[in-house]
Amino acid sequence: MLYQHVRRPFWRRHPTVTVTVLAMTSWWLWHGWYQALAVTAVVGLLVVFSRHRHAAAVRDAGLAARAEYEHRLSLAGDPRGTFGRYPPVQPGWYPDPQHHAQYRCRLRYFDGAVWTPYVARR
């Protein structure tokens, strides 16, 4: 859930439907069919609201299931229950995070919180 896909707006995903609705709306306004346009707009808003509410319920159910799963892991003593999907980096020797050409063959010690000044050759 950290990196959610951003959806394009409806009119970008469905240009044919958008043009058709705009043409029909213009036609109805031109001919004075205001009641039909109002009823169609209200029904459309009800459909949009219903779909939005359903999507929110599905999202909330997924979050609740994930929280329940991680809670059970935490109670069992599994570290995945504490840190979730992305556990913290363990202390150890890692390639030097400085991306200079002269430091490519060095390892730097990470103590679990910060990089230390201790360096070793590979």
Side-chain angles (χ1 to χ4, degrees):
M1 298 288 295
L2 292 177
Y3 303 103
Q4 295 181 359
H5 178 71
V6 177
R7 290 180 56 173
R8 295 183 311 179
F10 181 85
W11 64 274
R12 297 285 304 251
R13 288 182 284 137
H14 306 289
T16 306
V17 173
T18 303
V19 168
T20 304
V21 167
L22 287 175
M24 188 174 63
T25 301
S26 299
W27 177 263
W28 285 1
L29 287 174
W30 180 265
H31 288 286
W33 297 346
Y34 303 118
Q35 288 94 3
L37 183 61
V39 168
T40 305
V42 168
V43 169
L45 287 174
L46 288 174
V47 168
V48 167
F49 178 71
S50 173
R51 291 186 68 183
H52 178 72
R53 192 174 58 185
H54 176 72
V58 168
R59 182 197 66 225
D60 292 345
L63 288 174
R66 177 70 186 194
E68 176 64 28
Y69 173 71
E70 289 184 1
H71 178 67
R72 280 188 275 121
L73 286 175
S74 178
L75 291 177
D78 193 335
R80 290 178 297 168
T82 305
F83 301 112
R85 189 181 303 174
Y86 304 102
V89 177
Q90 299 299 316
W93 293 95
Y94 294 98
D96 196 348
Q98 297 175 351
H99 298 295
H100 301 295
Q102 62 187 6
Y103 300 129
R104 285 189 194 167
C105 60
R106 291 194 335 187
L107 297 174
R108 185 173 294 271
Y109 189 76
F110 184 73
D111 68 0
V114 294
W115 292 100
T116 62
Y118 305 113
V119 181
R121 295 192 72 69
R122 286 189 186 196

